[in-house]
Amino acid sequence: MTPEPEPELREALLAAVPSLRAFAISLSGQVDRADDLVQDTLLRALANLHRFEPGTNLNAWLFTILRNLFHSEYRKRRREVEDPDGSYAGRLKVQPEQSSHLDFEDFRSALAKLPADQREALLLVGASGFSYEEAAHICGCAVGTIKSRVNRARFRLASLLNVEDIDDLGPDSMTRAALQG
Amino acid sequence: MTVDKGNKLARVVLENSRGSTPATDPKLDTGSQKRIGDQLRAMYDELMQQPVPDRFRDLLDQLDKKNGAKEGSQ
């Protein structure tokens, strides 16, 4: 059965493109590759529209598709490329035209140093606006796993960017934060 | 150097808290969390502001036409 070509759906897909791109660029560190990922995501979504449950979160569904495409491609590339994280960082550096604001340069390279699962969790929850539950659904893991990954991602970023004041790093503030959280 | 000092301290805290509470990950203080969050969103917003490449608009337009033609022929 061919799904109805609803104009609202076209608009909804188009509206999702900026956030899909932002996620894909931040995830892969490569604009060209990110755009290919987004295109593949849209094509796959359109081919599988019958699987989408109306009334559920279209964006979450699209992000799930994109994420799965990214990881299957990543696994493929991993066989070819040693040290994928290093190559990610390298690619970020050779794209000055993509990062127009130098302010974000440090942040991007710190983000690139995170393990992929932590980067992904942080991007979904901290930037794309998904709840922990939605992010867990997108990544196919437990909510606690997402929370832990986001937590570790933030901690590592703070350490890489030296965000904390030295005083904040004392065991007392850590204990307080742990008690609060 | 300040940077090295900060990182070293962070690692020490990380290991300490792991030792005492193995089930819990270390947490950042709220101020640092906010600063990280703000930078992340600022970077992300910049990406979100980029214009949608024509290829996506074209792709969806083509599919619309295809579907439209299919409907007409039915």
Side-chain angles (χ1 to χ4, degrees):
Chain A
M1 199 187 107
T2 314
E4 287 294 303
E6 294 166 43
E8 312 92 75
L9 183 71
R10 179 192 175 280
E11 288 310 309
L13 288 172
L14 203 54
V17 168
S19 55
L20 285 170
R21 280 190 85 227
F23 182 57
I25 293 170
S26 309
L27 205 60
S28 71
Q30 241 182 338
V31 174
D32 287 352
R33 194 178 156 203
D35 279 343
D36 287 346
L37 266 174
V38 173
Q39 172 139 352
D40 290 348
T41 301
L42 292 176
L43 288 172
R44 188 166 286 201
L46 287 161
N48 290 283
L49 270 184
H50 55 284
R51 293 195 193 172
F52 176 69
E53 297 165 39
T56 61
N57 191 332
L58 178 70
N59 265 16
W61 187 61
L62 294 171
F63 270 68
T64 309
I65 296 174
L66 191 146
R67 187 219 168 244
N68 289 342
L69 285 169
F70 174 75
H71 281 279
S72 55
E73 201 189 313
Y74 181 86
R75 276 193 295 273
K76 252 183 257 164
R77 282 175 190 228
R78 193 164 191 168
R79 281 182 227 126
E80 299 156 18
V81 188
E82 281 295 308
D83 186 23
D85 285 342
S87 70
Y88 176 100
R91 286 200 303 272
L92 277 187
K93 273 177 206 141
V94 296
Q95 290 188 332
E97 81 279 6
Q98 306 298 355
S99 45
S100 47
H101 294 286
L102 279 172
D103 312 354
F104 299 132
E105 204 59 29
D106 287 350
F107 192 85
R108 279 179 219 267
S109 61
L111 192 66
K113 288 184 184 125
L114 296 181
D117 60 347
Q118 289 180 26
R119 183 164 58 238
E120 166 183 277
L122 183 70
L123 288 169
L124 289 172
V125 172
S128 305
F130 290 109
S131 66
Y132 284 108
E133 287 74 15
E134 286 166 334
H137 189 73
I138 290 169
C139 298
C141 66
V143 176
T145 307
I146 291 292
K147 284 186 178 167
S148 166
R149 284 176 187 169
V150 170
N151 216 9
R152 274 180 286 153
R154 283 183 180 141
F155 197 86
R156 180 101 175 94
L157 279 182
S159 155
L160 287 166
L161 296 164
N162 205 34
V163 160
E164 307 102 317
D165 301 327
I166 296 299
D167 288 345
D168 286 349
L169 274 172
D172 284 347
S173 73
M174 291 302 300
T175 311
R176 273 205 302 280
L179 289 173
Q180 278 164 7
Chain B
M1 243 174 80
T2 327
V3 176
D4 290 333
K5 204 176 181 183
N7 286 344
K8 262 178 214 156
L9 276 169
R11 254 175 239 128
V12 169
V13 172
L14 190 78
E15 276 157 21
N16 282 349
S17 54
R18 241 188 224 151
S20 54
T21 50
T24 338
D25 288 309
K27 275 215 158 181
L28 277 182
D29 60 283
T30 343
S32 301
Q33 267 201 41
K34 190 184 177 301
R35 268 170 284 175
I36 292 284
D38 288 348
Q39 284 194 57
L40 177 64
R41 276 187 297 275
M43 181 209 77
Y44 214 72
D45 280 349
E46 194 201 38
L47 294 174
M48 297 272 292
Q49 297 307 316
Q50 290 184 7
V52 170
D54 287 340
R55 63 193 275 196
F56 300 123
R57 214 174 286 276
D58 293 347
L59 175 78
L60 292 169
D61 281 347
Q62 276 175 12
L63 289 159
D64 261 9
K65 273 179 208 147
K66 234 190 259 171
N67 283 328
K70 236 180 252 168
E71 267 195 345
S73 66
Q74 273 166 3

